[in-house]
Amino acid sequence: MSSYRHPGIVFTDRYFTVPLDHGDPGGEQIEIFGREAVASGGTGEELPWLVYLEGGPGFGARRFIGAEAWLGRAVREFRVLLLDQRGTGLSTPANRQTLPLRGGPREQADYLAHFRSDAIVRDCELIRPQLTGGEPWTVLGQSFGGF
């Protein structure tokens, strides 16, 4: 984990390992990237978590440069996790460079079947206990992230 400060906010980069196929938890693993944001001046450890899911599909979470837009308001009440959903941003990529490594069109389609919204929800449920100790968190989704 690496942390850095911007005006009004401290960001910490986090990586989480999850199964590519949640039906085969011992199989191939991928990484999910999340950027934690808390108000500067405190660690925010006493605050509840809010996970933000970006729209798209196919876009990583926004990269804020400080207390911009809604994030500045949210960090007053929450520790915020800006999650790059599987295949996007700094998470294990699924793109035109990586898909041909999977084989032909059929193999690529089979691989991409693991990047649906139900897999993203299961990723979140594997990540949540690592951050909250099993406590609930608040979810904020924009567009596709709202599904």
Side-chain angles (χ1 to χ4, degrees), residues 16-134:
F16 306 93
T17 302
V18 299
L20 171 66
D21 179 355
H22 285 283
D24 181 15
E28 182 177 349
Q29 303 290 298
I30 61 173
E31 283 194 329
I32 303 296
F33 173 79
R35 181 163 286 154
E36 176 185 346
V38 296
S40 58
T43 63
E45 290 178 12
E46 69 285 350
L47 296 175
W49 281 91
L50 178 147
V51 63
Y52 173 72
L53 301 172
E54 184 65 61
F59 300 115
R62 297 169 202 222
R63 301 294 190 251
F64 294 94
I65 301 180
E68 300 176 26
W70 62 268
L71 185 62
R73 172 68 175 88
V75 295
R76 287 189 246 156
E77 295 181 40
F78 297 96
R79 293 171 74 177
V80 178
L81 182 66
L82 305 164
L83 196 66
D84 284 355
Q85 299 165 35
R86 51 176 50 212
T88 70
L90 296 177
S91 293
T92 300
N95 57 34
R96 65 183 177 86
Q97 290 85 15
T98 62
L99 285 176
L101 303 174
R102 294 288 168 173
R106 175 36 109 194
E107 292 81 13
Q108 292 176 31
D110 290 344
Y111 179 72
L112 288 174
H114 299 293
F115 290 78
R116 300 181 319 219
S117 57
D118 59 326
I120 294 166
V121 170
R122 293 184 78 181
D123 293 343
C124 289
E125 284 304 297
L126 284 177
I127 292 168
R128 185 175 58 84
Q130 296 177 49
L131 298 178
T132 73

Side-chain angles (χ1 to χ4, degrees), residues 1-4 10-14 33-38 81:
M1 289 189 302
S2 61
S3 294
Y4 40 94
V10 176
F11 292 104
T12 302
D13 292 347
R14 298 174 171 268
F33 173 79
R35 181 163 286 154
E36 176 185 346
V38 296
L81 182 66

